[in-house]
């Protein structure tokens, strides 16, 4: 059924406040059929468009000077027939001019309606083909959407069955089977699938926050829980790294428990704790930065997160006694070799070599003489190790032997 969306000829049958939105959408639609006079003072068109409500429609537009009439329908055949009828009736209702030989001059300069003067054989075919291609695309999209909705409803039912049975407890299969009028094996099968869905959702949504107190104590809390877990003294050395613990917790291979030395804090108040990191199944590890711009983690948190390089003081080599640090495994590469080294030069060149090997936008700071080594944005510790291990520290040290 044709619907009037804008007209100076007749009243509207859509909300007048939506007239401009509908007309603008229709005017921007795909032109399928067109008939017009040479000066285009009179045009009649069919356009395919999507209305503001998201419905696929076909619009029939009739304009003659200041007069206009926009109609639309969801039925292409109805739109095309209305268009062709308008073209034919308009031609019939106009007294045509004649040329010097008394031959009638066609009203329309261009038309694709059979039986109307100036029609060219087959001119309507491209519009027909485009219309049916659009119909096929729309139908495909709608079918896929319907399948998606059906799948979502099926999964929702499966999850609901699983939750209902688990809530009922023992005998839940029988209770639900009577309630929904299905056999117990059928109900059990549906619920088993639902549990798989619920488990997949749990894994996907799994997230753990890591906190640290002023004394270096570390605390874990799973997203959605109010209970936090204190990891205990020295946990940064005996647990972790944090990413591994979080993944194991998600996968059911580990969780904080008193048997492993973790203490539950029911309704844990995090007001006086520092949030230093979050691991989520979707986004992986996110290290929280502090006010100074570097990681908010303190010494214990940095070790648990694998942000701090294990370091040692190099001692008095030559006439220089550094008080800073270089990565321990790199120092070991020197062994107990006799000789003296320019430690400042080794640290500078080693840092430069590591930075050149890192991806764009990632660099090491504080490599020497100022303490821990941090990336300027978080990297997994193993990724950083891989880069550092590629740098030949011995060659660098050899260049600075005194």
């Amino acid at each position: 059924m044709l619907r009037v969306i804008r007209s100076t000829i007749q009243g509207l049958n859509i909300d007048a406040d939506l007239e401009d939105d509908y007309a603008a959408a229709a005017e921007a639609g795909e032109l399928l059929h067109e008939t017009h006079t040479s000066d285009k003072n009179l045009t009649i068109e069919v356009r395919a468009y999507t209305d503001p409500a998201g419905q696929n429609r076909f619009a029939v537009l009739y304009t003659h000077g200041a007069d206009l009439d926009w109609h639309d329908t969801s039925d292409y055949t109805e739109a095309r027939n209305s268009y062709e009828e308008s073209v034919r009736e308009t031609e019939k209702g106009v007294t045509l001019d004649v040329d010097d030989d008394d031959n009638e001059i066609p009203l329309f300069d261009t038309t694709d309606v059979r039986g109307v003067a100036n029609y060219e054989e087959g001119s309507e075919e491209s519009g027909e083909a485009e219309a049916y291609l659009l119909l096929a695309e729309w139908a495909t999209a709608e079918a896929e959407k319907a399948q998606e909705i059906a799948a979502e409803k099926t999964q929702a039912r499966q999850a609901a069955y699983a939750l209902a049975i688990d809530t009922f407890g023992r005998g839940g299969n029988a209770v639900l089977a009577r309630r929904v009028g299905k056999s117990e094996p059928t109900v059990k099968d549906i619920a088993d699938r639902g549990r798989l869905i619920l488990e997949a959702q749990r894994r996907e949504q799994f997230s753990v926050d890591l906190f640290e107190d002023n004394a270096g104590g570390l605390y874990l809390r799973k997203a959605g829980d109010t209970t936090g877990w204190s990891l205990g003294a020295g946990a940064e050395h005996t647990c972790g790294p944090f990413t591994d613990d979080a993944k194991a917790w998600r996968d059911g291979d580990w969780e904080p428990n008193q048997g492993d030395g973790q203490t539950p804090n029911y309704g844990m108040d995090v007001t006086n704790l520092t949030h230093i990191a979050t691991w989520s199944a979707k986004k992986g590890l996110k290290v929280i930065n502090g006010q100074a711009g570097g990681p908010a983690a303190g010494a214990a948190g940095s070790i648990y997160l694998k942000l701090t390089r294990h370091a040692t003081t190099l001692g008095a080599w030559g006439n220089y006694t550094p008080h800073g640090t270089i990565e321990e495994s790199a120092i070991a590469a020197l062994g107990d070799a006799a000789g003296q080294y320019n430690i400042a030069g080794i640290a500078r060149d080693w840092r430069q070599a590591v930075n050149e090997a890192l991806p764009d936008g990632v660099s090491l700071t504080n490599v020497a003489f100022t303490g821990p080594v941090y990336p300027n944005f978080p990297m997994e510790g193993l990724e950083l190790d891989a880069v550092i291990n590629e740098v030949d520290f011995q060659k660098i040290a050899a260049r600075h032997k005194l």
Side-chain angles (χ1 to χ4, degrees):
M1 178 178 178
L2 286 170
R3 173 181 61 178
V4 183
I5 62 173
R6 171 177 276 178
S7 182
T8 57
I9 300 171
Q10 58 183 302
L12 302 179
N13 55 17
I14 67 164
D15 189 331
D17 292 340
L18 299 176
E19 174 190 349
D20 289 342
D21 293 337
Y22 274 79
E27 288 166 2
E30 181 78 21
L31 180 63
L32 301 177
H33 298 288
E34 182 180 29
T35 294
H36 60 75
T37 57
S38 58
D39 59 4
K40 291 201 172 181
N41 186 51
L42 170 60
T43 66
I44 308 172
E45 299 174 343
V46 178
R47 290 181 178 271
Y49 80 108
T50 302
D51 71 14
Q55 302 298 311
N56 297 316
R57 311 279 294 183
F58 295 94
V60 182
L61 171 62
Y62 180 100
T63 62
H64 186 196
D67 291 334
L68 60 88
D69 204 19
W70 264 116
H71 293 212
D72 84 338
T73 175
S74 59
D75 188 316
Y76 169 63
T77 301
E78 182 180 32
R80 183 193 61 206
N81 291 342
S82 174
Y83 158 75
E84 292 185 352
E85 182 181 355
S86 295
V87 171
R88 293 192 178 98
E89 290 301 315
T90 300
E91 184 185 48
K92 288 179 185 178
V94 174
T95 301
L96 301 178
D97 291 334
V98 295
D99 60 19
D100 294 339
D101 297 325
D102 290 332
N103 295 317
E104 290 185 339
I105 300 173
L107 172 63
F108 298 114
D109 181 59
T110 297
T111 184
D112 60 358
V113 179
R114 290 179 181 273
V116 177
N118 266 351
Y119 165 79
E120 293 184 12
E121 186 67 30
S123 59
E124 79 284 4
E125 291 176 359
S126 61
E128 290 283 279
E130 183 64 26
Y132 287 117
L133 284 172
L134 284 170
L135 284 168
E137 289 177 8
W138 293 346
T140 299
E142 289 172 359
E144 290 175 349
K145 185 176 182 179
Q147 290 176 346
E148 182 178 333
I149 291 172
E152 289 175 355
K153 289 183 177 179
T154 297
Q155 291 182 356
R157 182 184 68 156
Q158 292 167 343
Y161 274 35
L163 291 169
I165 290 173
D166 293 346
T167 303
F168 281 135
R170 186 173 182 179
N173 283 342
V175 173
L176 184 59
R178 288 195 299 271
R179 182 72 64 86
V180 299
K182 296 183 179 297
S183 68
E184 287 189 40
T186 298
V187 166
K188 181 181 182 302
D189 180 63
I190 294 173
D192 287 345
R193 297 181 188 185
R195 290 188 185 93
L196 295 175
I197 293 169
L198 292 171
E199 175 60 18
Q201 291 175 347
R202 184 197 68 79
R203 287 172 56 85
E204 183 181 359
Q205 296 166 4
F206 189 89
S207 177
V208 179
D209 292 319
L210 174 63
F211 300 89
E212 187 173 15
D213 63 23
N214 292 334
L218 299 175
Y219 305 82
L220 298 179
R221 186 174 67 181
K222 185 171 64 174
D225 284 359
T226 57
T227 300
W229 289 86
S230 171
L231 297 187
E236 64 272 20
H237 297 291
T238 59
C239 297
F242 171 59
T243 297
D244 291 348
D245 285 347
K247 289 179 179 178
W249 195 353
R250 176 202 61 183
D251 296 338
D253 297 329
W254 174 86
E255 64 179 306
N257 64 89
Q258 291 174 295
D260 285 345
Q262 293 86 48
T263 305
N265 289 344
Y266 302 106
M268 186 172 76
D269 182 2
V270 299
T271 305
N272 296 319
L273 302 178
T274 301
H275 182 199
I276 62 174
T278 294
W279 185 88
S280 68
K282 286 185 177 180
K283 297 182 179 180
L285 176 64
K286 178 183 179 182
V287 175
I288 309 300
N289 286 334
Q291 294 181 349
S302 295
I303 294 172
Y304 188 46
L305 288 167
K306 290 202 73 174
L307 293 180
T308 301
R309 311 305 305 154
H310 295 294
T312 186
T313 300
L314 293 180
W317 287 7
N319 57 7
Y320 185 79
T321 303
H323 296 287
T325 61
I326 291 180
E327 208 277 336
E328 188 173 24
S329 63
I331 296 167
L334 289 174
D336 296 323
Q340 298 174 343
Y341 295 85
N342 178 349
I343 305 303
I346 294 173
R348 183 192 63 243
D349 288 1
W350 181 74
R351 176 175 55 195
Q352 179 179 347
V354 170
N355 284 338
E356 289 174 354
L358 287 169
D360 292 342
V362 182
S363 62
L364 295 183
T365 58
N366 300 336
V367 170
F369 318 124
T370 56
V373 177
Y374 298 119
N376 69 350
F377 67 80
M379 290 180 67
E380 290 281 356
L382 292 177
E383 293 178 309
L384 191 54
D385 286 342
V387 172
I388 289 173
N389 290 338
E390 291 177 2
V391 176
D392 194 329
F393 188 82
Q394 280 188 305
K395 286 186 178 179
I396 293 172
R399 292 201 297 268
H400 293 277
K401 190 169 184 178
L402 299 177

